[in-house]
Amino acid sequence: MTARRLSAAALAAAAIVGAVALPASAADHVRPDRPKVEISAVQYDSPGPEDRSRRSLNKEWVELTNTTRRSVNLDGWTLKNEDGRTYTFDHYRLEGRATVRIHTGVGRDTDSDLYMDRHNYMWDNYSDTATLRNDHDRFIDDATWGGRHHGDRHGGGHGGGHHHH
């Protein structure tokens, strides 16, 4: 009796799993707004002293994750901050289900880490928006942190510096 009940439960569980695993085409119709590549994490406030050293600059990063099984060619895609400073991907392909970390500072690009080769911070500690667009300048995803309107922004003319709060 017990064994029989167990196998029935196992079959029911298998049926549920099967129903969830929709073919890609069906899933696409359900959520057309889901980006294939998304901004999965942002480390906008570099830990430790912000001395503009290479190490400190590279502790500031944005992570992109490919949510699909297929690799996505990011050549010509851009990552922008609120002030319009832009990083453009160059001949980079993000494998399916993979994550790449884009560091602000100087370094040697690998499959999992890309470097903007900047000598100044890209992301404002206090508030900023990272926007990802594809090579046709179509909006893909963004990530926003902090307050949009604040007295100490001085109408946006903060000289591209970093806020220390």
Side-chain angles (χ1 to χ4, degrees):
M1 184 70 194
T2 330
R4 196 117 128 260
R5 197 180 288 131
L6 248 174
S7 62
L11 277 170
I16 291 163
V17 169
V20 171
L22 287 167
S25 58
D28 287 351
H29 292 302
V30 183
R31 294 279 316 269
D33 58 329
R34 180 159 177 74
K36 288 190 171 73
V37 177
E38 60 186 24
I39 297 173
S40 46
V42 181
Q43 176 67 48
Y44 51 84
D45 188 352
S46 177
E50 298 203 350
D51 50 10
R52 288 195 196 175
S53 67
R54 185 153 111 171
R55 215 176 78 165
S56 174
L57 286 164
N58 283 334
K59 279 188 195 160
E60 183 187 79
W61 45 258
V62 173
E63 232 170 49
L64 302 184
T65 300
N66 181 352
T67 61
T68 69
R69 283 193 211 86
R70 292 197 179 141
S71 69
V72 177
N73 184 0
L74 300 186
D75 189 36
W77 287 37
T78 57
L79 198 53
K80 237 176 224 160
N81 73 358
E82 238 167 54
D83 294 336
R85 280 186 294 233
T86 306
Y87 168 75
T88 304
F89 292 85
D90 183 33
H91 293 91
Y92 178 78
R93 189 175 276 283
L94 183 57
E95 294 306 318
R97 306 261 179 250
T99 295
V100 62
R101 195 173 267 197
I102 299 101
H103 304 266
T104 300
V106 176
R108 200 168 57 82
D109 292 347
T110 65
D111 282 347
S112 56
D113 294 271
L114 296 173
Y115 295 86
M116 294 190 186
D117 295 340
R118 294 177 59 88
H119 298 282
N120 207 334
Y121 299 94
M122 173 83 170
W123 309 110
D124 194 305
N125 286 355
Y126 182 65
S127 76
D128 209 340
T129 301
T131 304
L132 178 68
R133 291 181 177 273
N134 71 10
D135 52 337
H136 299 297
D137 209 35
R138 284 208 190 99
F139 173 85
I140 303 291
D141 197 20
D142 66 2
T144 298
W145 56 92
R148 286 297 191 135
H149 305 288
H150 206 268
D152 73 358
R153 287 304 294 264
H154 304 302
H158 57 282
H162 245 45
H163 290 292
H164 293 277
H165 285 273

